[in-house]
Every structure is written in C-alpha cells, then in structure tokens.
Amino acid sequence: RLPSAIATLLCVFLIYFFTLRLYSKNMALWASAVFMGSLLMPLYGKISLTDASLLLCFIGSYFSIQSYLREEHPKWLIGLLIFISSGALIKGPPIFIPVCGAILISFIFGQRKKVFFKLFIISILGVVSFSIWAYGTRMVDGGKFFNWWVDWYILKRTSGTIYGQSGFIGYYLLVFILCFLPWFLFIPFSLKNLVKDTIRKHNSDPLLFQLGWLLFGWIFYEIIRSKLPSYAFAVIPIWCIYIAQTIIAFKEGKKIV
C-alpha cells in the first residue's frame, strides 16, 4: 500500500504547487484542503490499487500542459512526457484519453495551433514507454499476456461491462458528489462557475483545454457502459480548483448563486 500513500501525498503537493503558480496562495491552500479533506481521496491512498498513482499522473499531465500554455517553457514539456509515460506504464491507455482528447479539441478550435501540435507530439511520445513494456512481455510469452491484457482492460471495458460494473448516465456526477462529500454543497455553484467560464471565455486556450479535459476525462466515461468510480478521476484537479474558488468567494461574502 506504500505506493498509493506516497502517490496521494504527491498529488497534494502537485495541486498546491501548480495552483500556487497559476492562481494564488489562498487558492492553493484551499484546493489542497479540498483534495485531502474529501471522502475518497484519502481512502485511495490507503488501498493497494494503481488508481492513486494514475491520479498523480493525471494531475501532473493536466497542470504541465496548463503551465506550458501560460509560459511555453520546455521544462513543462519534459514534465508532461514524464507524467504521461509513467501513466502509460501504470495503467496503459487511460492516461491518453483525456490528455490527447483535450489537446485535439484545443488544436481544432484553439488559437495557438502550433503550441497544441507540439503538445500532441510530446503526448504521443509517451507511448514509447508502454511499447517497450509490451515488447518485453511478448519476448517472454509470445504475446499471450499482452493479448489477454488488451482484451480485458480495453476491448471488454469499452464495448461492454466486466462483472456487471455498469451504471446510468450521471453516475460520475454522483461519484463526485460523494467523493467531495464534506464540500458537496459547493459543487452546484462550482459547476455553474465552470460552465460560465467556458462560455464567456471561449477564446481562451487554457479554458478550451479545460473543456476538452472535462469532455474526455468525464463525459466520455458517462457514455460508455463499463463504470467504476475511479474511471473519471482525471478531472479531480479541476473540481478541487473550482470548489476552492467557490469556498473563497463564500468566505469573502461574495454572491455565489
């Protein structure tokens, strides 16, 4: 269980570090508190699953891209490559769904196409680590394990269900409400602010990327039949930021309805 505990602590650090850089110290403190003060996040840090480690890669990838959109420094491209490569080794294709999907949406509708094309190339390079692992398994057993893995983790989960793990459309919104149970009263206002930001600032590349991340990190999993609570955890950093924003507005006496 140690990797899960370490990954969860690193998630808190990344949320604080990047929110401090992109927003403010007050926002960083509250976003971190929302994450660790939630119902499910500490729980996933106590169990022996890959979900906490994959969440760390989701958070790192999301903030690396947002930071690159802010200042276009090569270190954020390196960070993205490290996080997406690690996510590929931890659990395969799930890391590419929100990252590449959001970048593709941003490339089509955004203003800085060269920037998003560069981000897409870096993301695709993340397949290299996964390909090396896949080749290694084939060298050992001729592809028996890898073929089983593709069938079990990709084909069956996208085309149907496993062990009856299914749910209704809106399942993940309920998961988020339960996940952030102590803060659930702020969720409707946070969702409203998120939608308003997306509509009013549609020409903002960071917000367009955020919209793409929500589409492929959340809505995509609402549509497919196979469902588990951790499938849509890629959008956790966005929830933390918007819930924190709503809490700060509430504490400052600002109108949040």
Side-chain angles (χ1 to χ4, degrees):
R1 296 184 295 175
L2 183 60
S4 293
I6 293 174
T8 301
L9 292 175
L10 289 175
C11 285
V12 180
F13 171 76
L14 288 185
I15 288 174
Y16 179 84
F17 174 78
F18 282 107
T19 307
L20 179 63
R21 287 184 56 88
L22 297 173
Y23 298 94
S24 66
K25 184 176 181 179
N26 197 22
M27 181 79 82
L29 289 171
W30 274 108
S32 303
V34 167
F35 181 86
M36 282 306 292
S38 63
L39 178 64
L40 290 186
M41 293 304 100
L43 176 62
Y44 273 87
K46 295 171 61 178
I47 55 181
S48 182
L49 293 174
T50 58
D51 299 84
S53 300
L54 182 62
L55 175 59
L56 174 66
C57 295
F58 278 135
I59 293 174
S61 297
Y62 174 79
F63 281 123
S64 292
I65 293 174
Q66 290 288 26
S67 297
Y68 187 72
L69 292 176
R70 172 72 66 88
E71 58 186 66
E72 294 189 34
H73 195 286
K75 65 183 177 182
W76 304 123
L77 294 179
I78 297 173
L80 172 60
L81 182 59
I82 292 173
F83 283 117
I84 199 168
S85 298
S86 300
L89 285 174
I90 289 170
K91 214 164 186 177
I95 188 69
F96 296 102
I97 295 175
V99 174
C100 295
I103 291 175
L104 183 61
I105 289 289
S106 303
F107 175 78
I108 295 173
F109 299 102
Q111 305 294 320
R112 299 149 69 185
K113 297 189 183 300
K114 290 184 178 180
V115 170
F116 286 113
F117 180 75
K118 188 182 299 184
L119 287 168
F120 185 76
I121 295 299
I122 295 297
S123 300
I124 293 300
L125 289 177
V127 177
V128 173
S129 62
F130 178 78
S131 301
I132 294 172
W133 168 81
Y135 177 76
T137 65
R138 287 185 175 276
M139 292 295 291
V140 172
D141 60 12
K144 182 179 180 180
F145 175 78
F146 182 74
N147 292 336
W148 169 85
W149 182 89
V150 170
D151 179 64
W152 181 258
Y153 281 98
I154 301 178
L155 300 180
K156 287 184 177 178
R157 291 175 188 260
T158 55
S159 62
T161 62
I162 297 176
Y163 298 139
Q165 298 166 349
S166 185
F168 51 89
I169 294 179
Y171 171 89
Y172 288 107
L173 181 58
L174 179 60
V175 167
F176 294 137
I177 292 173
L178 294 175
C179 174
F180 295 105
L181 191 58
W183 319 100
F184 76 99
L185 291 176
F186 295 101
I187 286 182
F189 309 115
S190 302
L191 183 60
K192 178 183 177 182
N193 290 333
L194 195 157
V195 172
K196 286 169 61 178
D197 280 351
T198 303
I199 294 175
R200 292 178 179 178
K201 303 175 184 178
H202 61 277
N203 61 336
S204 168
D205 284 335
L207 282 171
L208 181 60
F209 173 77
Q210 178 179 278
L211 173 62
W213 191 274
L214 288 167
L215 289 175
F216 286 93
W218 172 11
I219 305 303
F220 170 81
Y221 292 105
E222 294 280 16
I223 296 173
I224 65 174
R225 292 177 60 194
S226 179
K227 288 181 171 63
L228 281 176
S230 58
Y231 280 6
F233 271 13
V235 299
I236 290 295
I238 298 176
W239 274 117
C240 289
I241 289 171
Y242 274 88
I243 291 175
Q245 184 183 75
T246 306
I247 292 172
I248 291 171
F250 177 78
K251 285 178 64 65
E252 292 177 351
K254 296 179 181 179
K255 186 177 180 180
I256 62 174
V257 295

